[in-house]
Amino acid sequence: MELRQITYFIAVAEELHFGRAAERCHIAQPPLSQQIKRLEEELGVTLLERTSRRVVLTPEGKEFLKRCKDVRDRLNEAVICIQDMAKGLEGQLRVGFIGPASLSKLPRAIRAFRERNPRIRLDFSAQSTSEQLPLLRGDRLDIAFVRLFGHDTSGLNSLLFLREPYVLAIPEDHRFADRETLDIADLEGEPLIFNQRIAQPALYRSLIGSFHKAGFMPNIVQEVNTEQSTVALVATGLGCALVPASSASSYRSGVAFRPLTGDLPQWEITALWKKKNQSVILQKFLDVAREFREVQ
């Protein structure tokens, strides 16, 4: 069975006249009649009752007409859908991000993208950098917002989305609360909460190196795996913590934030995507991301 036979049958069934159907399909009447006959022979069913005066659909023909219209409509929808996908008007984008990215302007960028592209579905995955990279390379993510420090990014394009300094999160009744700014040297002997070494080993070493340059070893009393957990423990009075400046924009009862000077690495979030990914939808998302990037 060929698609053109279905097209011819719909025309005859709607016109109930082979001559008009032939004109509608831009073919001669004899070839049209022949195609309908072949269709009926293939199905083993009579679809049309023909007399010298009229053409009538059989009950089987009426049902087949309904099904053929469904096929035609779904095919038309499929054509429109893939054309819209090629234009970046419809489709799907899978976005991965680390938890702290939710404190940046990424949520605002996502909202702006959705408002401009309401027919594009966004799927989100909140995971660590180490978890996102294989998903990106395995085509299970289209773009990943990660924190890079010594990671292998071969085969990937990148866009620095956020760069900001560290600040010090302190319990609100801490002795540092009256200070406007602090220096890393002020933290000698101070109980500190650090992100886990296993999560970002290269960054962990860099931060430890910053304390070494200041002339002392940090007094780490607890290691945690998320920025949110870090700030929550600061609120309990367990210690102070180095956190990205954007954390200060998220109010947390019992916690204050102070600018911190010293030889410290910058806190960065980078967008990554595969070099071979030429998706129009991805490019449109990157255009929006560039509008909201923050690089201090």
Side-chain angles (χ1 to χ4, degrees):
M1 187 184 302
E2 299 177 8
L3 183 60
R4 62 173 179 163
Q5 290 176 309
I6 292 176
T7 302
Y8 295 159
F9 170 71
I10 292 174
V12 174
E14 290 181 338
E15 298 291 344
L16 293 178
H17 191 282
F18 277 84
R20 290 195 298 270
E23 291 179 6
R24 173 171 156 181
C25 295
H26 306 291
I27 63 170
Q29 183 174 331
L32 174 66
S33 299
Q34 191 176 37
Q35 289 294 331
I36 297 300
K37 183 178 179 181
R38 288 179 180 174
L39 177 61
E40 290 179 317
E41 289 174 349
E42 183 176 348
L43 293 172
V45 173
T46 299
L47 301 172
L48 298 159
E49 294 287 355
R50 307 162 179 85
T51 70
S52 59
R53 301 181 61 182
R54 64 176 186 163
V55 177
V56 179
L57 282 167
T58 65
E60 294 82 4
K62 291 179 181 178
E63 181 63 24
F64 193 61
L65 174 61
K66 183 174 70 173
R67 302 300 179 99
C68 287
K69 285 183 175 180
D70 288 342
V71 171
R72 179 194 61 187
D73 293 344
R74 292 180 66 182
L75 179 60
N76 289 338
E77 289 173 3
V79 170
I80 293 171
C81 177
I82 62 170
Q83 289 175 339
D84 285 349
M85 287 181 66
K87 298 173 185 175
L89 301 175
E90 184 170 315
Q92 175 190 21
L93 189 72
R94 299 160 300 176
V95 182
F97 61 94
I98 57 173
S102 62
L103 300 175
S104 70
K105 288 186 178 180
L106 179 58
R108 292 173 57 186
I110 290 171
R111 180 172 181 174
F113 179 82
R114 294 183 67 179
E115 289 174 349
R116 300 175 197 177
N117 304 275
R119 292 162 57 193
I120 295 176
R121 190 181 80 199
L122 296 177
D123 291 337
F124 301 103
S125 175
Q127 293 172 304
S128 69
T129 297
S130 298
E131 291 171 324
Q132 289 186 68
L133 290 177
L135 295 178
L136 191 62
R137 288 196 165 94
D139 293 323
R140 286 179 286 172
L141 284 177
D142 297 303
I143 186 168
F145 288 82
V146 300
R147 189 178 187 189
L148 294 175
F149 217 93
H151 293 86
D152 176 18
T153 60
S154 57
L156 302 175
N157 285 326
S158 65
L159 171 70
L160 182 60
F161 183 73
L162 170 68
R163 178 189 287 142
E164 62 183 7
Y166 279 95
V167 298
L168 188 69
I170 60 175
E172 61 182 4
D173 58 353
H174 194 276
R175 60 189 179 88
F176 290 155
D178 294 333
R179 301 274 296 273
E180 291 293 327
T181 62
L182 294 159
D183 187 81
I184 190 171
D186 296 324
L187 304 182
E188 184 172 3
E190 195 67 33
L192 295 172
I193 302 164
F194 257 53
N195 282 345
Q196 290 179 338
R197 181 197 305 260
I198 192 173
Q200 295 272 11
L203 177 59
Y204 187 97
R205 290 192 297 270
S206 178
L207 289 173
I208 295 295
S210 296
F211 285 91
H212 284 175
K213 292 175 184 177
F216 64 97
M217 278 288 291
N219 176 24
I220 301 173
V221 296
Q222 182 72 50
E223 291 187 7
V224 295
N225 59 1
T226 67
E227 303 293 337
Q228 293 87 341
S229 299
T230 300
V231 176
L233 286 178
V234 170
T236 69
L238 181 63
C240 303
L242 278 65
V243 297
S246 54
S247 296
S249 64
S250 178
Y251 174 75
R252 177 85 190 199
S253 178
V255 180
F257 300 89
R258 295 292 181 270
L260 185 64
T261 60
D263 187 4
L264 288 161
Q266 292 284 291
W267 205 97
E268 297 180 348
I269 293 177
T270 302
L272 298 177
W273 65 97
K274 291 181 74 170
K275 289 182 178 179
K276 69 176 186 179
N277 190 343
Q278 300 299 315
S279 163
V280 176
I281 293 175
L282 174 60
Q283 295 307 314
K284 292 174 73 171
F285 186 83
L286 286 168
D287 288 342
V288 176
R290 290 185 178 98
E291 295 177 23
F292 289 86
R293 64 195 298 255
E294 304 170 88
V295 180
Q296 298 184 20

